[in-house]
Amino acid sequence: MKIGVLALQGAFLEHEQMLDRLGVAHFQIRQLSDLSCPMDGLIIPGGESTAIGKLLNSLDMMSPLREKVKEGLPVFGTCAGMILLANEIENDPKRYLQVMDICVKRNAYGRQLGSFFTRDLFAGQEIPMTFIRAPYINKAGAQVEVLSTVDGHIVAAREKNMLVCSFHPELTDDTTVHAYFIEKMARSSR
């Protein structure tokens, strides 16, 4: 089991620390050739979706990454990662990977001052959730399974091989969301 972590910008180190806690091998994806390395799953971290999107394009990684996800590579996107995977972004004309049947709203809770912490259910289990300039899903296709809602907004969901969440599970000590990705998606795809 080996997970690739997109390490162009954002909280990739924190995701690697979560994988270390779970005893899962990982490597950083920083350039096109890294996408050729065998991997059982991919994490796209939170950060600045515009910056990550620009880097994916300038490094010629956008199309190969899109194809890998379409071919079934398990992928987990947090915050900006969710925006990058979405088919549609409500308040931004930019589009990135466009592989998941969701429409997201960027900075849906406001800017930095709108960041907050709460506890709520993820796939039926209460976990801590840290939201930082977070998006949420305001439309989801029929094949999308909602895993978490906070205040009536969808903040975690799954469609086939894709898992997304608005919050940052990598910034807490709780490994529930990463374990879900590893056990129910990455390991089961082998």
Side-chain angles (χ1 to χ4, degrees):
M1 164 72 52
K2 198 167 196 178
I3 300 296
V5 180
L6 190 66
L8 301 179
Q9 192 268 339
F12 54 88
L13 290 175
E14 289 81 356
H15 280 288
E16 291 177 314
Q17 290 167 353
M18 292 300 275
L19 294 172
D20 288 340
R21 285 186 192 150
L22 293 169
V24 175
H26 54 84
F27 68 101
Q28 294 186 353
I29 297 173
R30 291 182 168 270
Q31 56 193 344
L32 180 60
S33 61
D34 296 331
L35 287 176
S36 303
C37 298
M39 66 181 111
D40 300 294
L42 167 71
I43 293 177
I44 303 177
E48 293 290 337
S49 58
T50 302
I52 298 172
K54 280 182 182 175
L55 287 166
L56 286 174
N57 278 323
S58 66
L59 296 167
D60 295 324
M61 294 170 69
M62 189 73 81
S63 292
L65 192 54
R66 179 182 296 117
E67 288 311 306
K68 283 192 168 292
V69 174
K70 283 185 171 181
E71 290 167 3
L73 176 69
V75 62
F76 174 27
T78 58
C79 198
M82 180 167 96
I83 292 169
L84 289 161
L85 291 166
N87 273 349
E88 191 178 342
I89 304 166
E90 179 187 288
N91 51 349
D92 191 332
K94 294 183 211 74
R95 300 293 179 266
Y96 303 102
L97 295 166
Q98 291 187 279
V99 289
M100 189 166 177
D101 191 11
I102 55 174
C103 175
V104 301
K105 183 175 182 179
R106 291 186 69 194
N107 298 322
Y109 295 98
R111 306 295 296 175
Q112 199 71 30
L113 291 175
S115 300
F116 64 99
F117 173 84
T118 190
R119 294 187 66 88
D120 215 310
L121 298 177
F122 170 84
Q125 186 173 342
E126 187 177 305
I127 62 167
M129 298 175 174
T130 301
F131 291 82
I132 302 171
R133 292 183 296 132
Y136 60 64
I137 298 170
N138 59 15
K139 274 192 301 190
Q143 303 303 312
V144 175
E145 177 185 3
V146 175
L147 298 172
S148 183
T149 59
V150 171
D151 296 331
H153 301 295
I154 302 170
V155 297
R158 174 182 179 177
E159 180 184 16
K160 299 176 193 162
N161 56 315
M162 297 168 280
L163 172 69
V164 293
C165 63
S166 301
F167 52 91
H168 291 268
E170 76 280 10
L171 299 181
T172 71
D173 291 332
D174 189 290
T175 58
T176 301
V177 183
H178 287 79
Y180 179 97
F181 176 64
I182 297 300
E183 297 302 325
K184 297 196 180 228
M185 299 176 72
R187 229 181 270 287
S188 66
S189 72
R190 296 178 118 188

